[in-house]
Amino acid sequence: MPVRYNQTVNNRQLSPIDRLLSGANDALRTVAAPAGRPARDNPAESIAETELSATQKSHAAGLMRVNHAGEVAAQALYRGHATVARNEAIEQQMQHAAAEEFDHLAWCEQRIRELGEEPSRLSPIWYAGAYAIGAASGILGDKWSLGFIAETERQVCAHLDSHLDGLPAEDTRSRVIVEKMRDEEAEHGESAVAAGAAELPDTVKKLMQITAKVMTRTAYWV
Ligand SMILES: [Fe+2]
Ligand SMILES: [Fe+2]
């Protein structure tokens, strides 16, 4: 029976070396292809494949590769935040979100392969960069860490809405995955706000947008 990925380990019960190994395991599981099996079924599972032209397929694969890269970064951000979270409830909330993000990651990867392409070859770079940003903002304190998550999820929702505009109307399988992801990203953002997220300065928000743009423009192609 295939192993389904589910984060049930409480990091606080682990020794420092076990934490390090657990973190390395999360990183490898995220950037390795194929990713492990998702904990929840792919929302596109019961939807029939539709006929797409070669151009539509390649465009949809590019957009789903961008989404997959975003999910690699989301894994790293949440794991990075959780590693340095001061409050146990917040750490658990972040691990829960990371588990949902892992499903998004696996669903995107499945869709990219169905479209005949591969995930971004730069996944280790997306992971390392986002992990560092997650841990660095977490070190400033939980309210900033939550603020960073709330703003990230806001930007991700806007980005996914733009992909729903850009994906071929016929590509129902990609669309239902993106819709499900967008709903859950909104919930992650709302949970972060409810847990006490601080509002980030405008310059930081702008910087986050620029960083995301570099990643999304690159991952569309490689
Ligand atoms: Fe996600
Ligand atoms: Fe999310």
Side-chain angles (χ1 to χ4, degrees):
M1 186 171 158
V3 177
R4 288 186 172 231
Y5 178 71
N6 202 355
Q7 176 74 33
T8 51
V9 177
N10 182 345
N11 266 342
R12 280 160 205 270
Q13 294 163 350
L14 301 177
S15 68
I17 186 74
D18 285 341
R19 269 185 177 233
L20 195 69
L21 290 172
S22 163
N25 185 43
D26 290 335
L28 284 172
R29 202 197 290 267
T30 301
V31 301
R37 241 177 99 79
R40 295 171 297 159
D41 289 336
N42 188 325
E45 204 163 77
S46 59
I47 293 170
E49 186 63 87
T50 44
E51 189 90 22
L52 298 173
S53 70
T55 314
Q56 284 177 320
K57 261 185 156 178
S58 137
H59 181 53
L63 294 180
M64 293 309 280
R65 187 163 42 244
V66 169
N67 294 333
H68 180 271
E71 295 300 336
V72 168
Q75 276 300 297
L77 272 181
Y78 276 108
R79 302 286 180 206
H81 283 299
T83 303
V84 295
R86 289 157 174 77
N87 177 298
E88 187 168 358
I90 291 175
E91 180 187 339
Q92 287 301 306
Q93 182 182 328
M94 289 174 180
Q95 296 287 14
H96 171 77
E100 290 193 346
E101 305 289 10
F102 188 83
D103 289 346
H104 300 174
L105 176 92
W107 299 337
C108 286
E109 185 187 330
Q110 284 170 7
R111 187 59 190 148
I112 294 167
R113 295 194 190 283
E114 284 169 8
L115 291 162
E117 297 202 14
E118 299 282 324
S120 174
R121 290 194 295 275
L122 303 177
S123 289
I125 295 175
W126 311 138
Y127 192 95
Y131 188 90
I133 293 172
S137 74
I139 284 166
L140 297 174
D142 287 347
K143 71 172 186 167
W144 293 109
S145 191
L146 290 164
F148 192 84
I149 285 173
E151 177 58 22
T152 302
E153 296 287 13
R154 242 193 311 269
Q155 292 187 14
V156 169
C157 282
H159 160 84
L160 293 176
D161 277 333
S162 78
H163 274 200
L164 286 170
D165 289 338
L167 277 168
E170 299 85 345
D171 188 2
T172 325
R173 282 174 76 89
S174 297
R175 300 183 72 85
V176 293
I177 293 173
V178 174
E179 279 164 8
K180 176 77 177 161
M181 282 163 54
R182 189 210 32 211
D183 292 349
E184 292 190 348
E185 314 307 7
E187 282 169 21
H188 297 158
E190 283 158 19
S191 304
V193 170
E199 185 74 20
L200 299 186
D202 284 346
T203 42
V204 176
K205 291 182 186 173
K206 194 81 209 149
L207 205 63
M208 288 164 70
Q209 276 171 345
I210 294 167
T211 312
K213 199 160 271 180
V214 170
M215 191 184 83
T216 55
R217 294 236 166 121
T218 312
Y220 182 86
W221 300 106
V222 279

